[in-house]
Every structure is written in structure tokens, then in C-alpha cells.
Amino acid sequence: MALYNVSINEQGMKFLCQKPGIISKLAFIITNDLCVENQEHALHLIQSLAYERQHPNLLHELLEVLPQRTLQELSKTSHPQVQQGILELMSDIMHLTREV
């Protein structure tokens, strides 16, 4: 939750973008944390980070740690909010990779 709150402002987003492995750590939360709220916050953060144009390496890291197949498997989760977040992330990735 604290990371999500930090990312809301511009300085917080810059701070997070400079943290090595931030996408991998958030992906770990999505795939391993049992708390649905933590998964949702991690998904929102990944979405925000993926749109950071000044840090294209974050999108590349995202594609490496959460490939399409993994996201498809995760989208079959039983929790509706997490499922919706994953589907949105998949849509965002498709949009962003067309632009790159």
C-alpha cells in the first residue's frame, strides 16, 4: 500500500522508476501474495510504471517477467478484481508494444 501511495505523485513515480528490479518485485506480489488487495495495488503500480515513456526498460522488464502466457494463466484467477486488473494490464501491454 505504501508503494502505491508513493507512486501517485510525480516525484514518487520517478523514485520508483529508478529502483532496479521494481517490476520483478511487483510481479512476485501478483503471482505469490495471497492478499487480493496487495495484488491489486501491485497491478496498478505496474500499469503506471509501464506507461513511463522516459523509462522504456520498465516495459521490457515487464514483458520478461510477466509474458503473455503467464498473464493469461493469472487471468483465470477466481477473484474478480484481480482478474479485471490482469485483463487491463494485458490490454495496456498490447497498446504499448504497438507504439514501441
Side-chain angles (χ1 to χ4, degrees):
M1 181 68 153
L3 278 178
Y4 184 71
N5 290 337
V6 167
S7 75
I8 292 173
N9 69 52
E10 187 177 329
Q11 293 291 23
M13 188 58 76
K14 286 180 184 178
F15 173 78
L16 290 176
C17 287
Q18 296 171 355
K19 292 295 174 189
I22 186 72
I23 298 287
S24 298
K25 292 169 183 155
L26 293 169
F28 180 83
I29 292 170
I30 293 168
T31 57
N32 295 295
D33 200 312
L34 299 177
C35 178
V36 173
E37 188 175 323
N38 288 345
Q39 291 173 330
E40 288 179 88
H41 289 305
L43 280 165
H44 291 299
L45 268 173
I46 285 177
Q47 285 176 300
S48 297
L49 291 168
Y51 274 99
E52 283 297 310
R53 300 273 185 223
Q54 297 173 347
H55 300 277
N57 58 315
L58 295 173
L59 178 59
H60 296 294
E61 183 181 354
L62 172 58
L63 295 171
E64 286 180 19
V65 298
L66 287 175
Q68 187 74 17
R69 174 179 252 164
T70 302
L71 288 172
Q72 287 172 342
E73 290 173 15
L74 289 171
S75 72
K76 297 174 186 170
T77 184
S78 60
H79 201 276
Q81 285 93 343
V82 175
Q83 183 180 26
Q84 182 61 35
I86 291 169
L87 293 174
E88 289 173 8
L89 180 59
M90 290 170 62
S91 175
D92 291 344
I93 290 171
M94 286 176 45
H95 176 74
L96 288 167
T97 54
R98 278 189 227 139
E99 292 179 4
V100 174

